[in-house]
Amino acid sequence: MPKGSTRPQKLPCTNPALTSRSRNWAWKSLLVSLVVLPMGWYLQESSLDFALDHFRPINEDSYWAGHREEVKHTFIASWSAYSKYAWGMSSPVDFVNVQQPMSTLSLSFREIFASNHGHREGQISPSVKDWLADEP
Amino acid sequence: MSPSGLGWMIVDSLDTLMIMNLTSELSNSRQWLIEELTYDQDQKVNTFETTIRMLGGLLSAHYLSTQLPHASSRWDYAYLAKATDLADRLLSAYETKSGIPFASVNIGKRKGLPSHSYGGASSTAEATSLQLEMKYLTHLTGNEVYWRKAEHVMKVVDDHRMSDGLLPIFVHPDTGNFRYLEIRLGSRGDSYYGMCCLYASYIRMRLKI
């Protein structure tokens, strides 16, 4: 810019085509937000209900009913091992003082389980049967 | 390891045995508890762990034995008797200048023992999370001492009026003051906030808000 010249002032847009376009854009934005915002609010609020819908009461939950016996047998297996190796002691098993090697201990654990629950063979779930069959 | 064993897993499993209706295992456990389990042993135990697992296990067993027909009879006080014996020994942890319990107790000698670490300070979470068991024991026995000892701990920490209710993770039994400035929502702090939520829920329930 030559020395001494003044900066031209920016004049307001008087082009009728441009002002009309801006107005249209503003109206469209307003309409879209009027639709999107309540929809977003509804989805956010109701998402908890959708999530809760997946969790039915325990007595109607077939997943839990199917696994209840498995949980019980696993607990009994753990209990049986405890009752043989650590009954009434402060810590479950003092492995340092166990004279048997761990592999023998593991075998014994399975033997206890099998002997304790042999009469319930029909009730043992397939996954527990696999575990029992998985002898080292 | 304690001289005669304390049967942590047995006591901690009593409620599960009752709920699962494992009557044979429950019978063995109950027999061991009556005939073998003694707290008259020269044994140092952690105050918090013993309260929530051993005392809590006995109290939940007592409750379930009064509710489940197969578990026991309404007049079976074996679990409650053991719980009272243990709680009386644990009370020695509260015999401090501030009322904040020591981290450990020698249950045989009935003597509270400060923590070996952190200058003898107790964990805030541990000291403030003994409420349920002690207060339920008062409810069952009518002996107010358990309630008062547990409630006093909350008063000591509350009297500090800490901003936003956030507490440092160590509190000293001698002074009742917090030690160090570290605040955590995790270990050594977590169950205090859990206990506060429990209180809030209970008050809302009572007031039917």
Side-chain angles (χ1 to χ4, degrees), chain A residues 68 71-73 75-76 78-80 82 86-94 97 116-117 120, chain B residues 1-2 4-10 13-14 16-17 20-22 25-26 28-29 32 36 43:
Chain A
R68 186 176 288 167
V71 170
K72 188 172 180 177
H73 287 308
F75 176 83
I76 293 170
S78 171
W79 179 266
S80 301
Y82 170 77
W87 182 261
M89 296 193 323
S90 278
S91 57
V93 176
D94 187 357
N97 294 325
N116 280 358
H117 306 289
R120 300 177 190 170
Chain B
M1 192 174 290
S2 54
S4 308
L6 290 169
W8 290 96
M9 282 191 67
I10 298 170
S13 300
L14 288 169
T16 308
L17 295 172
M20 287 188 172
N21 197 18
L22 298 170
E25 288 84 353
L26 178 62
N28 290 339
S29 301
W32 180 86
E36 305 287 334
Q43 178 63 34

Side-chain angles (χ1 to χ4, degrees), chain B residues 51 55 59 84 87-88 90-91 94 99 101 127-156 195 199 202-203 206:
Chain B
T51 300
L55 185 58
L59 290 174
T84 309
D88 287 343
L90 290 172
L91 281 178
Y94 296 82
T128 55
S129 303
L130 312 169
Q131 306 290 310
L132 278 179
E133 292 80 6
M134 298 296 272
K135 291 181 177 179
Y136 185 50
L137 194 56
T138 289
H139 171 73
L140 292 173
T141 62
N143 186 347
E144 288 183 12
V145 68
Y146 312 114
W147 182 292
R148 285 191 181 145
K149 294 284 185 187
E151 185 63 23
H152 182 68
V153 177
M154 299 308 269
K155 182 179 183 306
V156 171
M195 199 58 65
Y199 267 153
Y202 176 72
I203 291 167
R206 290 298 297 266

Side-chain angles (χ1 to χ4, degrees), chain A residues 42-62:
Chain A
Y42 171 75
L43 288 173
Q44 189 188 2
E45 288 295 309
S46 59
S47 63
L48 182 63
D49 295 338
F50 294 146
L52 287 175
D53 195 38
H54 295 300
F55 296 96
R56 285 163 296 171
I58 286 175
N59 56 0
E60 294 173 17
D61 191 338
S62 57

Side-chain angles (χ1 to χ4, degrees), chain A:
Chain A
M1 190 177 289
K3 198 174 180 182
S5 66
T6 54
R7 197 186 182 95
Q9 276 193 332
K10 199 175 181 181
L11 296 171
C13 178
T14 52
N15 186 335
L18 279 176
T19 50
S20 158
R21 202 182 298 164
S22 307
R23 203 173 296 140
N24 280 341
W25 184 86
W27 273 111
K28 280 178 187 170
S29 302
L30 183 66
L31 286 172
V32 167
S33 58
L34 280 174
V35 173
V36 168
L37 286 176
M39 192 183 287
W41 175 82
Y42 171 75
L43 288 173
Q44 189 188 2
E45 288 295 309
S46 59
S47 63
L48 182 63
D49 295 338
F50 294 146
L52 287 175
D53 195 38
H54 295 300
F55 296 96
R56 285 163 296 171
I58 286 175
N59 56 0
E60 294 173 17
D61 191 338
S62 57
Y63 176 85
W64 170 240
H67 286 77
R68 186 176 288 167
E69 282 302 308
E70 192 175 346
V71 170
K72 188 172 180 177
H73 287 308
T74 307
F75 176 83
I76 293 170
S78 171
W79 179 266
S80 301
Y82 170 77
S83 65
K84 176 162 184 178
Y85 291 108
W87 182 261
M89 296 193 323
S90 278
S91 57
V93 176
D94 187 357
F95 283 113
V96 177
N97 294 325
V98 172
Q99 298 302 309
Q100 295 168 288
M102 284 298 289
S103 58
T104 317
L105 189 69
S106 175
L107 268 175
S108 303
F109 178 66
R110 286 175 181 160
E111 284 163 5
I112 297 162
F113 183 89
S115 63
N116 280 358
H117 306 289
H119 63 287
R120 300 177 190 170
E121 186 65 28
Q123 297 174 16
I124 296 175
S125 68
S127 61
V128 177
K129 273 182 186 170
D130 291 344
W131 175 68
L132 284 168
D134 185 27
E135 294 285 347

